[in-house]
Amino acid sequence: MTTIVYSDKYYCDIGLHVFPSQKYRLVYAMLERNGKLASDAVQVLEPRVPTREELKLVHDEQYLDDVLNARMTPATFSSELPVKRDVVDAFLLSTGGTLVAAESAAAVGGSINLGGGYHHAFADHAEGFCFFNDVAIACLKLLKGKKASRIAIVDCDLHQGNGTAYIFRDEPDVFTFSIHQERNYPIKQRSDLDIGLDDGVGDAEYLEKLGGAIEQIRNGFRPDFVFYLAGADPFKEDQLGSLLLTHDGFHRRDDMVIGTFCGAKVPLCVVLAGGYSHDVADTVRIHYNTCLRLFDEDTD
Ligand SMILES: [Zn+2]
């Protein structure tokens, strides 16, 4: 059984912006159109708004006051998103989607939130299109509820997961791994394992380095739960990056991460993270294929 978490309310109007907020509903529509949600092996769940207590697992009180009231302050303005109630609400709901997906993965083995992956958010401020660090909140919720005891975060977005790395800098039960383009946003924090790639790296080098890291995580850290940030921005035609992954490279990346951990019966929760291709159809196709790869996995 695989769970997919989604709501039409993940969409919000952010005006002319490089972040394609419509990608969430386009991926869902494509799955629906092609009959991929009709199987008994796939359950669709609605997200829920996280409670204040859940948000406080990661975020500071003052920052939450500011962001939840859509107050423009240096800590919220650094999101590079419009600080408006409807925009905050959409990202808040998508953050809750990761919580629902994580709970479900712990129960059924595999899940995907058609949103989430806001890895640039810090405890006390927003950054890089991220208000709430959904995966960090979900990690602490799982640990607190004893649904997991050793969690690995496999962050394959083009950009380093700086907020996540910093939040878990002193947390031995969460292993942070990021494979990213080195000479790009953001200012780097130290993950437990970082692979900073040169500009122009393509499928072969990317997959070789990722393969080594996955082995190290699986056999060294030995997680009992994994989050996979399946960012689409390493794509060769991304507007914000200079890595050169092809669609075939993404297939093999999904195979490597999903196949390894689902194959080892480690619960896996996937979130979408970034993707800014010149043609949004490429970003949607990458995320759609990740869903199909997860649905193929018999996680029972
Ligand atoms: Zn990114």
Side-chain angles (χ1 to χ4, degrees):
M1 172 72 80
T2 308
T3 302
I4 181 163
V5 183
Y6 171 74
S7 165
D8 286 339
K9 292 178 186 157
Y10 285 0
Y11 173 77
C12 55
D13 182 1
I14 52 176
L16 257 186
H17 197 287
V18 71
F19 186 90
S21 174
Q22 75 275 28
K23 77 175 183 179
Y24 303 133
R25 67 180 186 198
L26 292 174
V27 176
Y28 189 80
M30 195 169 177
L31 288 165
E32 220 173 19
R33 192 168 62 242
N34 294 332
K36 302 297 180 186
L37 304 176
S39 155
D40 286 345
V42 177
Q43 66 170 340
V44 182
L45 295 182
E46 284 278 324
R48 60 179 173 78
V49 177
T51 66
R52 182 97 175 189
E53 286 308 305
E54 287 170 335
L55 296 170
K56 275 169 57 184
L57 290 170
V58 165
H59 293 289
D60 294 356
E61 198 71 76
Q62 180 61 54
Y63 172 62
L64 287 175
D65 269 347
D66 290 341
V67 71
L68 293 172
N69 289 301
R71 253 181 239 136
M72 184 75 95
T73 69
T76 59
F77 180 71
S78 50
S79 65
E80 301 176 55
L81 288 167
V83 184
K84 289 166 37 187
R85 179 56 62 84
D86 59 326
V87 175
V88 170
D89 282 350
F91 283 93
L92 185 63
L93 188 63
S94 177
T95 295
T98 299
L99 292 177
V100 172
E103 284 157 18
S104 184
V108 305
S111 68
I112 183 163
N113 180 24
L114 288 192
Y118 308 124
H119 58 169
H120 301 308
F122 284 73
D124 62 355
H125 70 279
E127 252 192 45
F129 319 150
C130 303
F131 286 116
F132 309 102
N133 198 312
D134 58 311
V135 168
I137 297 166
C139 278
L140 291 174
K141 184 92 202 275
L142 288 171
L143 290 173
K144 200 168 164 229
K146 304 207 183 309
K147 301 273 176 60
S149 62
R150 297 174 66 74
I151 303 176
I153 299 171
V154 176
D155 188 335
C156 295
D157 190 90
L158 174 97
H159 304 96
Q160 196 218 20
N162 59 334
T164 316
Y166 190 76
I167 288 164
F168 291 126
R169 65 196 182 284
D170 294 323
E171 174 53 77
D173 297 331
V174 178
F175 188 95
T176 54
F177 162 60
S178 178
I179 182 167
H180 49 265
Q181 185 188 354
E182 185 63 26
R183 283 194 299 175
N184 202 324
Y185 174 89
I187 296 169
K188 309 292 181 291
Q189 300 292 332
R190 185 186 296 213
S191 311
D192 292 304
L193 177 61
D194 281 300
I195 297 178
L197 299 167
D198 290 335
D199 297 4
V201 162
D203 293 347
E205 183 178 341
Y206 186 98
L207 292 165
E208 190 196 328
K209 290 189 167 159
L210 177 63
I214 296 293
E215 271 310 297
Q216 190 179 329
I217 293 165
R218 185 184 164 191
N219 299 320
F221 180 70
R222 305 183 70 83
D224 60 10
F225 195 102
V226 172
F227 284 94
Y228 171 30
L229 281 77
D233 41 10
F235 185 58
K236 61 187 169 65
E237 285 168 35
D238 198 86
Q239 298 175 78
L240 299 187
S242 314
L243 297 183
L244 298 176
L245 260 66
T246 65
H247 283 292
D248 180 58
F250 281 99
H251 273 296
R252 289 157 62 198
R253 185 182 82 173
D254 287 339
D255 249 346
M256 201 177 264
V257 181
I258 296 171
T260 297
F261 292 110
C262 288
K265 304 289 179 200
V266 178
L268 179 81
C269 177
V270 186
V271 294
L272 299 191
Y276 314 93
S277 185
H278 288 286
D279 183 352
V280 72
D282 281 315
T283 299
V284 169
R285 182 174 158 197
I286 290 164
H287 291 319
Y288 173 81
N289 285 335
T290 300
C291 293
L292 296 196
R293 181 60 189 81
L294 185 67
F295 294 169
D296 274 349
E297 206 53 58
D298 177 13
T299 53
D300 287 336

